[in-house]
Amino acid sequence: MTRHLDPDETGLKRAAEMLRRGGLVSFPTETVYGLGGDATDDAAVARIFEAKGRPSFNPLIVHLPDVEAVEAYCVMDDTARRLAATFWPGALTLVLPIRPYAGISKLVTAGLETLAVRVPDHPLAQSLLREAALPVAAPSANPSGRISPTTAQHVLAGLAGRIDAVLDGGACGVGLESTILDCTGETPVLLRAGGLPAEAIEACLGAPLALGPVAPSTAPSAPGQLVSHYAPKGTVRLEATETEPGETYLGFGPLGADMNLSRTGDLVEAAANLFDCLHRLDTMGAERIAVAPIPDHGLGRAINDRLRRAAAPRD
């Protein structure tokens, strides 16, 4: 049985105790709901993979309450500290060299000498991390490759009976996973577009970001790089300006559609609505989904990244 915990002191303490005992607890962040487990506990991390049906070669993001906690596990250079000072807490994940003897499970890093870390900007997530007092590995709380959850109800629809609890903090504000930067070299590399626009990062650095692999990966160095990911049950066709027979239209902007990410063409609103719309299309039983063109700048890059993975051929 998966417990539904209220966002009060009782629910928070119960969630933290479950984590300390090796349990799995889904909790809200500003991006999406995470599926949390003790990142130092091999058995707890293995349960995350089992619950999600997630390939073991796909590394996990560790969530921590502040920069000081991050530096206990990772080596940060001046660039990483500048990014952290500007964007943490927030929707930015940094891939950093892991410290020797950090105590993080090898299942979290997928055997790499790096660790993906984030400081979430959500009061309930912050309270849980401080109450639990341990590093929390937390991929999105959905079956692997399926639509990411932005409400507790989405979590329960996919993982009820597979995890111990979900801490209900309402709908997520950003609605897209974090932006991931590899900060192990001289120049930060954008590995995944996400809830923090690349333009904001480049403005902070005063230089353009290097880009990671153009094609989605079958052996990722960070979370969210698999070829097929974020997929609804129906097939997805992108850049559709009109529908074909049997298609349900997911629109953007003022044109008529069966469902719309943002009628005003607002990319922030579209990002927040993306996964909820895909969940609703699943509920409707949409077998063929046509998606309107999305501008490929700002948060549009992250939206298009998720949609391309949703449309990718599946095993």
Side-chain angles (χ1 to χ4, degrees):
M1 176 180 174
T2 298
R3 292 179 177 271
H4 183 277
L5 302 178
D6 292 326
D8 54 18
E9 184 175 358
T10 299
L12 188 67
K13 288 185 177 298
R14 184 168 296 176
E17 181 63 21
M18 288 178 176
L19 289 173
R20 287 193 294 268
R21 291 185 176 182
L24 302 187
V25 177
S26 176
F27 62 97
T29 74
E30 74 280 19
T31 57
V32 299
Y33 272 72
L35 176 55
D38 181 353
T40 68
D41 183 337
D42 288 337
V45 177
R47 286 191 63 209
I48 292 176
F49 287 112
E50 180 182 37
K52 286 178 62 69
R54 185 184 179 100
S56 60
F57 54 73
N58 201 2
L60 306 180
I61 295 173
V62 169
H63 292 63
L64 293 160
D66 50 43
V67 177
E68 291 74 20
V70 170
E71 294 218 55
Y73 298 97
C74 299
V75 178
M76 299 182 72
D77 62 14
D78 290 342
T79 298
R81 291 192 185 96
R82 187 192 319 165
L83 290 166
T86 305
F87 298 115
W88 278 353
L92 175 66
T93 292
L94 300 181
V95 177
L96 300 167
I98 192 169
R99 291 190 183 278
Y101 315 111
I104 299 295
S105 169
K106 293 292 186 183
L107 294 173
V108 170
T109 62
L112 302 173
E113 297 301 319
T114 56
L115 184 65
V117 288
R118 185 164 91 84
V119 177
D121 185 19
H122 190 291
L124 197 57
Q126 280 282 328
S127 296
L128 178 61
L129 291 171
R130 295 184 186 281
E131 182 71 27
L134 48 81
V136 176
S140 56
N142 55 292
S144 187
R146 300 303 308 279
I147 309 163
S148 298
T150 55
T151 67
Q153 290 69 36
H154 292 163
V155 176
L156 291 169
L159 296 179
R162 302 189 197 180
I163 64 176
D164 296 291
V166 56
L167 184 60
D168 192 343
C172 300
V174 175
L176 283 175
E177 293 88 352
S178 59
T179 301
I180 300 180
L181 293 185
D182 183 341
C183 287
T184 59
E186 292 185 6
T187 302
V189 178
L190 180 64
L191 297 180
R192 180 180 75 181
L196 178 65
E199 292 88 341
I201 299 170
E202 291 174 335
C204 169
L205 296 175
L209 289 169
L211 299 180
V214 174
S217 177
T218 56
S221 59
Q225 293 183 299
L226 291 176
V227 175
S228 178
H229 208 50
Y230 315 108
K233 295 175 183 176
T235 59
V236 178
R237 183 170 67 90
L238 305 180
E239 301 289 336
T241 55
E242 56 185 24
T243 58
E244 298 174 355
E247 288 185 327
T248 302
Y249 194 44
L250 178 58
F252 176 82
L255 297 177
D258 299 294
M259 195 176 296
N260 206 305
L261 292 168
S262 172
R263 294 188 184 280
T264 62
D266 184 331
L267 289 172
V268 174
E269 181 183 20
N273 288 336
L274 176 61
F275 290 136
D276 184 59
C277 284
L278 293 178
H279 278 286
R280 288 163 57 198
L281 288 164
D282 268 0
T283 301
M284 290 168 52
E287 295 182 357
R288 298 176 60 203
I289 302 163
V291 184
I294 308 294
D296 200 40
H297 60 77
L299 287 177
R301 291 183 183 178
I303 295 170
N304 283 322
D305 171 80
R306 303 310 187 273
L307 288 171
R308 283 191 293 270
R309 296 174 198 273
R314 306 168 197 174
D315 293 334

